[in-house]
Amino acid sequence: MDMNIEDVKSNSKTQRISAHSHVKGLGLNEEGIAEEIHQGLVGQKEAREAAGIIVDLIKMKKMSGRAMLFAGPPGTGKTAIALAISQELGTKVPFCPMVASEVYSSEVKKTEILMENFRRAIGLRVKEVKEVFEGEVLEITPAETDNPLGGYGKTISHVIIGLKTAKGTKQLKLDPSIYESLQRERVEIGDVIYIEANSGSVKRQGRCDTYATEYDLEAEEYVPLPKGDVHKKKEVVQDVTLHDLDAANARPQGGQDILSMMGQLLKPRKTEITDKLRMEINKIVNNYIDQGIAELVPGVLFIDEVHMLDIECFTYLHRALESTIAPIVIFATNRGKCVVRGTDDIVSPHGIPLDLLDRIMIIKTVPYRVEEIKEIVIIRAATERVMIEEDALDFLADIGVKTTLRYAVQLLNPASHLAKIYKANSIEIRMIREASELFHDAKASAVILSRPDAKFMK
Ligand SMILES: Nc1ncnc2c1ncn2[C@@H]1O[C@H](COP(=O)(O)OP(=O)(O)OP(=O)(O)O)[C@@H](O)[C@H]1O
Ligand SMILES: [Mg+2]
């Protein structure tokens, strides 16, 4: 079997969000006021409202080169709210999440990793006029022939596609590779698509709105029947990040016009991205911005557990924030005053050097009340599809107050497993108790360690 590597395109980072999968947004109303429980978030209203303002500012492009910090005790929703920001920004604004300790890799320099993520967080919206065939799909007919190499299989020699616009219809005879793209985009009859004349790439825009009454409820996007001819010039908008461009151009190739630059996106290959290359890309990008072909979209670089960065990284970041093309950087930490990593004795709030801290806006998160913890546990239980009894819920909320919210949420999992073992329909209080005895939280573990009879190696 052939593996099609050519079209592997997106190299955006996959997010580790399973613990936050219930978070759908910041849960603010029209005026930007946080609702008590909305979009998966509970309480922590001030931080959510502050985050809402940040989202507005980012959308107005008034935030690039700025930095903010979520500071608060463990399990107070810093990571959750940061991810909610990403949801609010939508897919058009880049959001690159990372954990500070990612910079420590034996193979790549720390600053290299920071720079790469920095550029993942800066978007570029490119508008190009392209020659396309566009319309509602009337037919897709693959024409089969016998396999020229013999054997029993059939291969597709070409594919016939009928496209319709308000002005007329056209039948196209196309290369078999386009049939594969059609299948990948899951194109069906009645969809509106366009096919780029040069590259043959297929883009599905949505379902034609003449089909809009098919179902009462669905996630489909409907688009009107295209006007004009099937074969035409069309303004095509493409969103990429600077890192996409770096990676796509990180090997010797032809022209430096936007077409070949974008064309390279289709076939990324792992090659080293050098500073020189980045500077060249910047130059081209600036050029296109000046000409009005492209528009910069500063996004968000989210660095979680920022106290893990060392002084070298902080210095680097500080300088990078100063450059003309910069995203907004959002930090999060649960540390108070501590030694800045990489220094012997420089103690600073949140482990961030004072000169950098000085330019950061800080959003505080505060511990939850017991009712809030209960609501969050209810949401998590629903997300993980586990049933839990009322008194077990109260007990779990109490545990959350005494330890951390995260510990309480995490107990759901072993407790629901115990419920299965006991053949119970829902989690009962004894299963929570048993799970909390089997698995300790950090504080309990620390207490055990400090006992004189703890037989650990010192
Ligand atoms: N206000 C909230 N509403 C709903 N769920 C929340 C809320 N706050 C936290 N959670 C959930 O509780 C768990 C712990 O929260 P989170 O990981 O965001 O804490 P944190 O402040 O980042 O902690 P740490 O400092 O340890 O990184 C996550 O599963 C998160 O989704
Ligand atoms: Mg966190």
Side-chain angles (χ1 to χ4, degrees):
M1 199 190 89
D2 269 8
M3 189 165 71
N4 193 347
I5 304 181
E6 295 291 295
D7 293 280
V8 177
K9 181 166 153 192
S10 170
N11 45 11
S12 63
K13 297 176 71 175
T14 43
Q15 302 182 7
R16 295 165 306 163
I17 52 164
S18 54
H20 309 282
S21 54
H22 59 287
V23 178
K24 303 284 183 245
L26 286 167
L28 308 176
N29 68 12
E30 299 271 297
E31 280 102 51
I33 309 294
E35 315 217 352
E36 188 56 50
I37 305 178
H38 190 39
Q39 294 193 309
L41 285 183
V42 179
Q44 211 63 265
K45 285 182 167 182
E46 278 171 23
R48 283 159 61 196
E49 284 163 15
I53 294 177
I54 300 293
V55 168
D56 289 343
L57 290 173
I58 295 172
K59 284 189 176 158
M60 292 189 276
K61 301 194 179 179
K62 288 198 175 143
M63 280 298 284
S64 64
R66 305 283 287 275
M68 324 169 8
L69 168 70
F70 283 106
T76 47
K78 300 179 292 295
T79 307
I81 294 175
L83 293 175
I85 291 182
S86 122
Q87 307 259 15
E88 296 284 342
L89 289 174
T91 52
K92 299 268 159 37
V93 181
F95 184 95
C96 173
M98 70 178 284
V99 179
S101 43
E102 275 175 43
V103 302
Y104 304 106
S105 130
S106 53
E107 280 170 37
V108 188
K109 273 207 313 216
K110 289 178 276 193
T111 52
E112 178 60 36
I113 293 174
L114 280 178
M115 179 46 96
E116 180 179 318
N117 285 318
F118 217 71
R119 289 174 76 82
R120 282 181 200 274
I122 304 169
L124 193 69
R125 168 162 300 176
V126 188
K127 294 200 187 92
E128 281 177 279
V129 177
K130 283 188 176 164
E131 197 186 323
V132 298
F133 296 94
E134 183 184 45
E136 178 196 334
V137 178
L138 296 180
E139 69 161 310
I140 306 175
T141 319
E144 290 184 343
T145 53
D146 290 329
N147 193 335
L149 303 174
Y152 302 105
K154 297 243 184 206
T155 60
I156 292 172
S157 64
H158 61 266
V159 53
I160 305 274
I161 295 177
L163 290 178
K164 173 179 161 194
T165 66
K167 214 168 161 190
T169 62
K170 197 179 177 86
Q171 211 178 37
L172 309 166
K173 182 177 169 185
L174 298 169
D175 192 75
S177 66
I178 294 182
Y179 186 59
E180 283 163 30
S181 323
L182 287 168
Q183 286 180 317
R184 232 185 345 262
E185 289 265 310
R186 297 176 199 281
V187 174
E188 285 175 24
I189 289 175
D191 292 348
V192 174
I193 63 166
Y194 67 79
I195 306 171
E196 272 178 38
N198 281 322
S199 63
S201 72
V202 175
K203 178 95 176 101
R204 181 179 183 277
Q205 287 161 295
R207 199 137 179 83
C208 191
D209 60 9
T210 45
Y211 293 82
T213 50
E214 266 180 327
Y215 307 102
D216 289 334
L217 198 66
E218 55 187 331
E220 187 63 87
E221 193 176 330
Y222 289 98
V223 294
L225 188 68
K227 300 191 191 70
D229 291 313
V230 170
H231 186 186
K232 66 179 151 206
K233 293 213 185 312
K234 177 185 169 69
E235 190 182 76
V236 176
V237 179
Q238 204 172 338
D239 290 295
V240 295
T241 70
L242 292 188
H243 174 73
D244 292 338
L245 292 177
D246 291 344
N249 292 279
R251 64 207 171 83
Q253 33 89 41
Q256 289 206 326
D257 60 303
I258 198 91
L259 257 182
S260 60
M261 202 161 113
M262 305 297 279
Q264 298 302 323
L265 274 178
L266 296 171
K267 26 194 146 133
R269 208 163 293 176
K270 199 77 194 164
T271 337
E272 195 145 4
I273 298 167
T274 59
D275 277 343
K276 183 161 164 271
L277 175 80
R278 288 196 176 114
M279 269 158 63
E280 268 168 33
I281 298 275
N282 282 359
K283 225 166 38 192
I284 304 171
V285 165
N286 279 326
N287 223 321
Y288 281 109
I289 293 171
D290 290 345
Q291 293 176 33
I293 301 171
E295 180 194 349
L296 214 54
V297 186
V300 174
L301 171 60
F302 172 50
I303 306 184
D304 210 352
E305 283 151 39
V306 62
H307 51 267
M308 289 298 291
L309 291 183
D310 66 6
I311 186 82
E312 193 188 333
C313 295
F314 282 123
T315 316
Y316 182 83
L317 269 182
H318 198 166
R319 234 191 42 218
L321 278 170
E322 228 97 275
S323 63
T324 48
I325 305 183
I328 148 170
V329 180
I330 300 183
F331 300 118
T333 183
N334 54 22
R335 297 301 152 94
K337 266 183 179 292
C338 61
V339 173
V340 179
R341 254 184 101 112
T343 68
D344 291 333
D345 54 359
I346 303 180
V347 174
S348 190
H350 312 299
I352 300 175
L354 274 180
D355 51 345
L356 179 58
L357 198 57
D358 204 39
R359 60 179 292 163
I360 295 179
M361 294 198 291
I362 300 178
I363 298 180
K364 259 192 340 184
T365 56
V366 290
Y368 293 109
R369 289 177 292 127
V370 63
E371 309 87 70
E372 289 168 330
I373 292 188
K374 187 170 162 187
E375 292 297 341
I376 295 172
V377 173
I378 290 174
I379 294 175
R380 273 316 295 182
T383 315
E384 293 177 25
R385 293 173 196 281
V386 299
M387 308 279 283
I388 177 162
E389 287 186 0
E390 189 64 28
D391 55 346
L393 254 179
D394 289 327
F395 184 56
L396 205 50
D398 277 338
I399 292 182
V401 173
K402 285 189 204 112
T403 60
T404 64
L405 167 63
R406 179 173 298 119
Y407 177 66
V409 168
Q410 278 173 342
L411 281 184
L412 275 177
N413 223 322
S416 98
H417 188 68
L418 287 173
K420 267 189 215 122
I421 293 176
Y422 294 140
K423 301 204 168 38
N425 291 326
S426 52
I427 299 175
E428 296 160 19
I429 199 162
R430 62 189 168 119
M431 296 153 198
I432 302 283
R433 192 170 292 128
E434 187 173 341
S436 71
E437 279 159 11
L438 289 171
F439 302 99
H440 292 164
D441 70 292
K443 276 184 216 157
S445 177
V447 169
I448 295 170
L449 289 184
S450 61
R451 275 188 212 144
D453 60 345
K455 293 202 172 67
F456 284 90
M457 286 229 288
K458 292 270 158 52

